[in-house]
Amino acid sequence: MKVTVNNESADINRYYVQTLCMIFFPGEKFSDSDDQSPYSICVDCEERENEFYAKAVLKVNDKEYIKDSTVEYTPDKTKKRSKKIAVGNAVLAVCNEHCGYRSSWGMLTGVRPSKVASELLMKGFSKTKAKKMLVSDYRLFHKKAELSVDVALAEKRIIGTPGKKDCSIYISIPFCPTRCDYCSFVCYTSKKLLSLIPEYLEILKNEIKDAFSMIDELGLNVKSVYIGGGTPTILSESELLDLLSCVRACLGNREIEEFTLEGGRPDTITEEKLKIAKDHGITRVCVNPQTLNQSVLDAIGRRHTVDEFFRAFEIVKNSGIENINTDLIAGLPGDDFDMFSSSLDRIIALDPTNITIHTFCVKKSAELLRKNPNIYSMRGGDVGRSIDYSQMQLPLNGYYPYYMYRQKNSMGNYENVGFAKPGCEGRYNIYMMEEIHSIFAVGAGAVSKLVKYVPANIGDSKIIRLFNPKYPYEYLKTENREHPYEHFKDTVSDFYKEHIGAEE
């Protein structure tokens, strides 16, 4: 698809228009040539007195659709916001006319669909006014506007007043017993590559020590620690003991809010591993079935059984770790509304403290896309019904939505929502997604984020990202194996001196 934006600017450019077009043309490739696709779109935007005017022209083969939009900028909306709304209205209208489809999220295409709601609430708008603006200005369906505001209010309550020196730790274990067909994460699964784990852990422990040493030097406050992957519970009992002993020693006497171990794959969970986790201060565990329909598990290459999930859940429940999260995915290939609703009902009956509902997302490097290049879906089949069912049933059973994000090429353009019982929220999820404090990430593929958070004016916030080697074999080639975090030290120190005011 060819996208042309006349008079491009930093806020209105081809990428912004492409993200809007992806709602209606999922999986479409974009280029500067007319030869690759029957679709092309041209967008114009001009500033007039106290308003912006935008026009979108969509061509489909020999047919042409034209729509325009005028948005006045007022104290409620900045010039930048008004311009984006004008362009968004025009693009949505012209695509709506061709496709006969309206997205429930309107023109909100970003990872954080509750961000706009948060900003409106911070400006002093009431809950009711914020919802109305999301519907009228951003074209959200009423139920999505309600969800956005509810999540924004929950995040605000949980976050409170962030400290300038707050931070969290992410520890990457990029290994899995097998690779699921829908997965695109960098993870090692073969026997030969899994043999790298002992050497990987040695360097990882050095990096963990480096990161904590830097945190101590800067006088930062660790709020949460998250061990993710991959599948961290792929580690043997002795390897898990070694890793958690290192983290526990670095934490010392700190009292942190949350210490999460991602189990992920039920077939890697044992009683001994959970005892080690409990003894070393783990407070939250994730056990993720994705579906409780065996035929769907088999179809997506998820190499465990439904019975193994129930066994693993029982082990975690009996371990004494009270905060348990389970993930389900709506829209998996072969799944339908009846299967999904049955899975959700059975999960609710288990009474975990957290239930996260994901929408199936088509990842470019996933095996499923190679098998079926036409797997993309604009409407998403039964996904909408499944998502609606989860958002109705979970509150009725004592769970409320507390964080939310979205991914590109998700079925029907739907969202991922974390639900929790009051007081059992996964705090790291909020800290990471809302970018309110720094995340020090260690291990292969890990990305640290240094955050200067300005709640009163999000535009003044600043983020610096620091990238570790992506693949484990690259990580193992780290030049300074004794101090792998050393190359970040000056950047981190300078950031805190300049933006946060930490003492040397």
Side-chain angles (χ1 to χ4, degrees), residues 47-52 72-73:
E47 184 175 1
R48 298 175 175 177
E49 186 177 356
N50 297 321
E51 66 183 21
F52 283 102
E72 180 181 1
Y73 44 86

Side-chain angles (χ1 to χ4, degrees), residues 132-292:
K132 287 182 178 179
M133 292 180 70
L134 289 169
V135 172
S136 62
D137 292 347
Y138 298 92
R139 300 294 186 260
L140 271 67
F141 285 12
H142 285 276
K143 60 187 176 184
K144 299 306 180 188
E146 178 92 25
L147 176 64
S148 292
V149 173
D150 286 348
V151 169
L153 288 170
E155 290 174 341
K156 182 179 179 181
R157 175 181 56 79
I158 295 166
I159 291 169
T161 304
K164 288 185 177 181
K165 294 186 178 182
D166 290 347
C167 69
S168 289
I169 309 287
Y170 178 82
I171 299 171
S172 170
I173 306 294
F175 299 91
C176 284
T178 60
R179 184 184 178 96
C180 303
D181 288 355
Y182 60 80
C183 183
S184 68
F185 288 115
V186 175
C187 56
Y188 275 27
T189 57
S190 72
K191 184 176 181 180
K192 179 179 179 181
L193 295 173
L194 292 177
S195 69
L196 298 175
I197 289 178
E199 184 181 0
Y200 178 85
L201 288 177
E202 288 306 308
I203 299 178
L204 181 66
K205 288 188 295 180
N206 288 337
E207 192 178 17
I208 291 169
K209 293 171 186 176
D210 277 0
F212 272 100
S213 177
M214 191 178 306
I215 287 167
D216 289 339
E217 288 177 18
L218 294 167
L220 305 184
N221 306 311
V222 179
K223 305 291 283 186
S224 66
V225 177
Y226 192 104
I227 303 177
T231 306
T233 45
I234 194 176
L235 301 181
S236 67
E237 281 87 354
S238 61
E239 289 166 342
L240 184 63
L241 174 62
D242 191 27
L243 174 63
L244 292 181
S245 296
C246 174
V247 179
R248 191 70 259 173
C250 290
L251 282 169
N253 295 323
R254 291 181 178 90
E255 292 186 7
I256 62 175
E257 295 175 345
E258 180 181 271
F259 191 176
T260 297
L261 176 66
E262 195 173 298
R265 286 279 294 267
D267 47 332
T268 63
I269 291 174
T270 67
E271 291 183 8
E272 181 60 28
K273 290 178 186 178
L274 267 293
K275 182 180 185 305
I276 292 168
K278 172 66 174 175
D279 290 345
H280 287 78
I282 294 293
T283 61
R284 184 173 182 268
V285 173
C286 305
V287 191
N288 303 328
Q290 316 303 21
T291 175
L292 294 182

Side-chain angles (χ1 to χ4, degrees), residues 439-471:
I439 306 291
F440 291 90
V442 298
V447 181
S448 296
K449 292 193 288 188
L450 307 180
V451 178
K452 174 193 175 187
Y453 178 66
V454 184
N457 187 357
I458 298 298
D460 289 339
S461 296
K462 181 173 181 178
I463 298 174
I464 294 177
R465 289 175 172 82
L466 306 173
F467 296 86
N468 269 13
K470 185 175 182 179
Y471 299 99

